[in-house]
Structures are given as C-alpha cells and as structure tokens.
Amino acid sequence: MKFAMPLVLVRHSILLLVALAMFALALISLAGMSASVMVAEGVQGSASAINHAGSLRRLTYRVAGLVAADALSGPLSKRRVEAAIEDFERALAHTELQRIVQREPSGLFSATYRGVESSWRLDLKPALQTVMRAELETSAEQVDELLGHVDRFVDQLDTLVFVLERNTEARIEELREILAAAIIATLVV
C-alpha cells in the first residue's frame, strides 16, 4: 500500500524545513557574533597594555642610565633620578596593566606582573637607591653590578611583554576557530 501525503502537508513541510534552516542560520550567526563580542572584550586594552609594558624597559634603562652617568661623572643628581624612578613606578601601576591583572588574577600575566613588581621593590629599586645614597664616588664595579641588576630586571619585563602578547594572540586564535566553525555550520545548513 502506498502512503501518499496530501499536497498541503508537503508544502507545509517544505516551508517548515526552510523556516528551521533559517532559524538555524540565525542561531549560528548569533553565536558567531556573541563570540566576537566576547573575544573583543577580552582583548580590549591589550595593545595599550603591551605598549605600557614595553615602555617599562625604556624607563628602566633611563633610570639606570641617569644613575650610571651621574655616578661615573661626579655627584648624582638625586632629583633627576628620583623623578625617573617615580615615572617608572607610575608606568608600572598604569591602569591598562592593572586591568589585565584584574581580568585574570590567577593567570600567567598576573603572576609575571607580580614578579616584576617584587623584583622592582626588592632588588632593582634598592640597588638604585644604594648607588644614589653613596657619599663617596661610585666605582665602575658598583655601576657594573647595578647594570647587572638592570639586565636581569629587563629580562623579566621582556617575559611580561611576551606573556601579554601570547595571551592576546591566543584569544584572537579562539575567535578565528569559533568563526571558522560558524562558517562550516552555515555551509552545512
């Protein structure tokens, strides 16, 4: 026995399939746009934070250069060095860097940032202040030792910038994968 579907049901089922396909496409589009917004929110401020983290290197060399130049050429200009240290500390506490730390307090960037802060407070800044407080002329050996502290600290800053760049790139890669899946799902529907 043949089962024949009435023409009305066939027409409705085609319309129903088209409606379901359109609904599926709308959901896929909505999911892709939502993922884009979430990733965009996640990387917002990252470029600025990368720039500020990179500027910490320059500021570190500036402070060290002032101390070294003054130490080797005569009395230190403590005011210039203190102003450079204050500039560095302002840059280290910049809002973009703090925002990234607050976004993922237990993340790799936050841990690296805390390490940089700690190295600044416990190692480099005291070394700079020791050279600044020296009543006698500062020897070339003391300056070399200070520059060793600076090199180690700048290596940490390089790691900080690298971690921030990798985090940003990973988020963008996530977006790329989500959008690729959305495109494939759209083609399948």
Side-chain angles (χ1 to χ4, degrees), residues 18-40:
V18 169
L20 288 174
M22 294 300 289
F23 182 70
L25 289 173
L27 284 178
I28 292 168
S29 299
L30 185 62
M33 287 184 274
S34 298
S36 296
V37 168
M38 288 172 35
V39 171

Side-chain angles (χ1 to χ4, degrees), residues 7 27 40 53 67 99 105 108 116 127 133 136 145 148 155 174 180 189:
L7 189 58
L27 284 178
V67 169
R99 188 174 301 143
L108 182 58
V116 165
R133 282 193 300 263
L136 304 172
E145 184 180 330
D155 286 344
E174 286 174 11
V189 172

